[in-house]
Amino acid sequence: MVLMFLNGGAMRGGALHHLLSGAPLVAVVKTAPKYRFHSVGDRFPALEPGGDAAVAGELYDVPWEVLRDSLLPAEPDELELGVIELEDGSGTLSMVRRRTYSEPAGAYRDISGHADWHAYQDSLEAKP
């Protein structure tokens, strides 16, 4: 088992939550305030080191097989597996913005002010 921070579609209620294959939720947490948070084409979020946002997410105890066979193969090319710091100072695995990915201009929108994927999606739905 491995602790995995999720902040997008695999969280509870998300379209990709089934990929966790029943892995237990450990806690609702935030990252340390050391990140930038992006929307990639309003399709999924991307966490990036180097900012001051504490991003909301969920921490799961995921079996290695589920991580290898289910979660990681479903991740978009723009993300890679990394280690992040949580608000309590502990470290955990998470998907982060790929350092070597060359994205099209305007593909990333900084949503660090929301620091929460669900809150950002709700703000889109609230716009006329």
Side-chain angles (χ1 to χ4, degrees):
M1 302 282 230
V2 61
L3 291 180
M4 180 80 177
F5 174 82
L6 301 173
N7 61 355
M11 290 191 301
R12 291 174 295 167
L16 302 176
H17 186 70
H18 68 280
L19 297 175
L20 291 172
S21 300
L25 174 67
V26 174
V28 175
V29 296
K30 288 185 178 182
T31 67
K34 296 181 175 185
Y35 298 93
R36 293 178 63 203
F37 197 46
H38 303 276
S39 169
V40 182
D42 291 340
R43 296 176 293 125
F44 58 89
L47 194 60
E48 179 182 30
D52 60 3
V55 177
E58 298 174 346
L59 192 63
Y60 286 86
D61 194 3
V62 181
W64 284 106
E65 296 79 16
V66 171
L67 183 65
R68 180 191 67 219
D69 299 337
S70 186
L71 271 179
L72 292 181
E75 292 294 343
D77 292 340
E78 295 91 340
L79 302 178
E80 65 185 0
L81 189 61
V83 176
I84 63 160
E85 183 180 344
L86 297 177
E87 63 187 340
D88 68 1
S90 65
T92 187
L93 293 178
S94 179
M95 298 308 294
V96 296
R97 182 177 177 178
R98 186 178 297 275
R99 290 172 286 199
T100 60
Y101 190 78
S102 185
E103 69 273 351
Y108 286 80
R109 175 183 299 155
D110 192 317
I111 59 169
S112 298
H114 289 279
D116 180 314
W117 183 242
H118 292 308
Y120 173 70
Q121 289 180 313
D122 291 345
S123 76
L124 293 177
E125 293 173 9
K127 290 183 180 178

